Amino acid sequence: MWRVSDGDTTIYLLGSIHLLPASINWRTPLIERAIATSDTLVLESSPDESIDFPALAEGENLRPALDRVSPGKRPLLDAMIERSGIPRETLDSYKDWALATTLATGDAIAAGATAINGVEAKLWSAFDSGRKTRLAFYHAKEQLEQLNSLPEADQRKMLENILAGKENYGETLAAWTSGDIASLDKTAECTPLDGKLVGQPNNYWAKWIAARMKQPGTVLVAVGLGHMAGPYALPKMLAARGLKVERIE
């Protein structure tokens, strides 16, 4: 967690994990303090929103999922599809971005992680009070539409990243619970795809935070952990704007 502050404004930045097992106790004293003292919560999107995922995920005239990757990677993809528990014909109908994001949650689900126990859902509930404000940077559908609009080559790269183990839930969870941001920095990349998926939203959020610093108050911003590491890390972008940014946990 980081703190951006000046004389009369404090904005906490919390790197979150969207899916968590119920057994994970992540609300440390510092996080509890941030929740208690913040008058506003800002998430990527509202946990209350429902979206028709298949409507965006399904494509036409797509090759079977296994035929979209090189022969050497097919056994791994086949195992991930089997482990997901989702019918193969369903995944075969998904575009590459949707296939990648669906398979990326497989290990999390296998570990007993759910969105209900995720950081965003718990924070949204904690700020469910007439005395506090809840905001979201996007509508959930907008986030999926951004993925859906990626060129085919970028979508295929997303799928390849999953097969390369760059979305390993166990390793990410271990780094998050131990505060090991250095491990995440090592796996983060400075590629055109990362610029789109991480750099562009971080730049937008940095502009929003910089503008919000001109108003008094205390705000808690929670976004995916991947946005806090690597060359496009949100804390780095804010520091580059001349803001006082401190890592506090």
Side-chain angles (χ1 to χ4, degrees), residues 2 19 48 59 78 128 195 208 231 245:
W2 290 257
L19 306 177
D48 288 342
D78 187 57
D128 186 14
W208 186 94
V245 183

Side-chain angles (χ1 to χ4, degrees), residues 18-235:
H18 308 311
L19 306 177
L20 282 176
S23 59
I24 298 294
N25 180 15
W26 54 271
R27 290 174 65 158
T28 65
L30 273 175
I31 292 176
E32 289 288 7
R33 180 183 177 187
I35 293 171
T37 58
S38 294
D39 47 70
T40 301
L41 170 70
V42 187
L43 303 180
E44 293 182 52
S45 60
S46 165
D48 288 342
E49 288 188 350
S50 60
I51 52 176
D52 186 356
F53 184 79
L56 286 171
E58 294 174 355
E60 297 180 355
N61 302 317
L62 297 175
R63 289 182 294 164
L66 292 181
D67 291 347
R68 302 182 215 169
V69 300
S70 63
K73 294 180 179 179
R74 287 172 187 169
L76 177 57
L77 178 57
D78 187 57
M80 294 181 74
I81 290 174
E82 190 68 26
R83 188 165 65 248
S84 74
I86 300 172
R88 190 174 297 269
E89 56 270 22
T90 297
L91 294 177
D92 281 343
S93 72
Y94 281 2
K95 301 168 190 174
D96 284 353
W97 72 264
L99 180 60
T101 55
T102 300
L103 293 179
T105 64
D107 288 342
I109 294 172
T114 66
I116 293 175
N117 290 316
V119 172
E120 287 84 357
K122 293 298 185 182
L123 286 176
W124 198 253
S125 177
F127 277 74
D128 186 14
S129 165
R131 294 175 288 107
K132 292 181 180 285
T133 300
R134 301 185 298 185
L135 302 174
F137 287 119
Y138 307 111
H139 290 293
K141 185 178 180 181
E142 290 177 311
Q143 290 184 293
L144 294 185
E145 287 175 338
Q146 290 172 0
L147 297 176
N148 194 42
S149 67
L150 288 173
E152 185 176 337
D154 284 343
Q155 294 189 33
R156 186 63 48 85
K157 180 62 175 176
M158 287 180 63
L159 182 57
E160 291 173 354
N161 285 347
I162 297 299
L163 296 176
K166 294 182 179 180
E167 298 287 342
N168 186 296
Y169 179 77
E171 292 178 1
T172 300
L173 181 61
W176 184 68
T177 53
S178 64
D180 184 10
I181 199 71
S183 293
L184 298 172
D185 278 330
K186 290 178 182 178
T187 58
E189 297 180 323
C190 184
T191 66
L193 179 59
D194 287 277
K196 293 175 183 177
L197 299 182
V198 180
Q200 288 181 7
N202 279 8
N203 186 55
Y204 169 68
W205 300 339
K207 289 180 180 178
W208 186 94
I209 290 169
R212 182 59 183 80
M213 289 298 296
K214 298 176 183 179
Q215 305 174 41
T218 304
V219 179
L220 173 58
V221 174
V223 296
L225 179 61
H227 292 279
M228 300 299 185
Y232 301 106
L234 182 57

